[in-house]
Amino acid sequence: MPSATGNKRVRGVSVFRPFVFGSIAHPFDPENKPADCPPDHTHRWEIFVKGINGEDISYWLKKVQFKLHETYAHNVRSIEQPPFEVSETGWGEFEIQIKLYFVPESNEKPQTLWHSLKLHPYGPDAEGMKERRENVVSQNYEEIIFNEPVEPFYEILTGGSAASQPGKSKGKNTKQIGQGRTADIPMNDAPGNPYSRMTERKELDRMAEATQTVEQMIKEEKERLIEREKYLAELRESEGVPTNTKKR
């Protein structure tokens, strides 16, 4: 049967849109704590979903639902317009469920993410950060990929752009659209946005260097193993111990 009006899909095309989700925690100064804050709360924090470098994502994202710990009043919070974020205070870390609802034209089902709220610093300078009461940022880069979107949603995503590039899909004729409204990742880092082509290149170089290091370690370990086996064979021969042979 033919597709209903507005439900016809753009075959052989996938469109991706990058975004960031995560949290920022601000430690309280015990001497200057907000008066309306519970006495055992130690931080104010925000959980968010936002575009790369502050780009608008509301043209494809309709609503974000944050499910907090059950000890919070109204622990399921729905945000239907930017900024897609929730601000609260607390003392403990926990998992937050994030559900993304797309615009009605998308005809797409919601997608669920999970984020672990971080209140306390981590890393080599954790103690120094704690003493300086620095903010704790825990965020992730993510991409939503819409495979063969319906035509109205495709027009919304691309703004009518026909620019495309070969995709990684198994289909021979699949194209992955990375142009259009806000799909491009910035070339360089910016304040508050560590995600860029430069960062990606540095990470790839770091991974390549680590791979070479591991390969060298494996090579050296194999050489040591050969030397040990050679020494063991010589020792057995000098002691008159017959060498074990594997049966075929």
Side-chain angles (χ1 to χ4, degrees), residues 1-5 7-8 11:
M1 295 179 62
S3 300
T5 303
N7 288 341
K8 185 178 180 181
R11 300 298 179 185

Side-chain angles (χ1 to χ4, degrees), residues 61-64 78-82 84:
L61 185 62
K62 173 64 175 178
K63 179 177 73 172
V64 179
S78 294
I79 310 299
E80 299 192 11
Q81 61 183 13
F84 298 108

Side-chain angles (χ1 to χ4, degrees), residues 28 37-38 40-47 66-77 86-96 117 119:
F28 287 140
C37 181
D40 59 341
H41 285 196
T42 59
H43 293 73
R44 177 173 296 281
W45 53 262
E46 292 90 38
I47 179 78
F66 300 95
K67 187 175 182 180
L68 312 182
H69 193 271
E70 60 185 11
T71 54
Y72 284 89
H74 310 294
N75 68 313
V76 178
R77 314 282 178 89
V86 167
S87 178
E88 267 291 355
T89 64
W91 58 266
E93 301 179 340
F94 56 91
E95 291 285 324
I96 298 176
L117 176 65
L119 300 184

Side-chain angles (χ1 to χ4, degrees), residues 8-145:
K8 185 178 180 181
R9 294 192 173 272
V10 182
R11 300 298 179 185
V13 168
S14 62
V15 181
F16 74 90
R17 285 295 175 266
F19 66 97
V20 176
F21 71 97
S23 60
I24 302 178
H26 318 273
F28 287 140
D29 180 351
E31 304 299 326
N32 190 25
K33 199 172 180 180
D36 60 344
C37 181
D40 59 341
H41 285 196
T42 59
H43 293 73
R44 177 173 296 281
W45 53 262
E46 292 90 38
I47 179 78
F48 58 81
V49 175
K50 62 182 181 180
I52 301 295
N53 210 20
E55 296 287 357
D56 176 36
I57 58 175
S58 62
Y59 67 93
W60 58 266
L61 185 62
K62 173 64 175 178
K63 179 177 73 172
V64 179
Q65 184 185 86
F66 300 95
K67 187 175 182 180
L68 312 182
H69 193 271
E70 60 185 11
T71 54
Y72 284 89
H74 310 294
N75 68 313
V76 178
R77 314 282 178 89
S78 294
I79 310 299
E80 299 192 11
Q81 61 183 13
F84 298 108
E85 64 181 31
V86 167
S87 178
E88 267 291 355
T89 64
W91 58 266
E93 301 179 340
F94 56 91
E95 291 285 324
I96 298 176
Q97 183 192 75
I98 304 173
K99 186 170 287 189
L100 308 179
Y101 292 84
F102 307 110
V103 294
E105 295 88 346
S106 71
N107 201 26
E108 298 281 349
K109 295 180 179 179
Q111 293 194 22
T112 301
L113 305 169
W114 290 89
H115 176 71
S116 180
L117 176 65
K118 299 293 184 184
L119 300 184
H120 307 291
Y122 49 92
D125 191 32
E127 291 302 319
M129 292 177 64
K130 188 179 296 185
E131 291 179 3
R132 296 187 295 269
R133 295 196 184 92
E134 293 185 13
N135 294 338
V136 177
V137 180
S138 175
Q139 62 182 17
N140 300 278
Y141 171 91
E142 187 59 89
E143 290 181 357
I144 288 286
I145 299 179

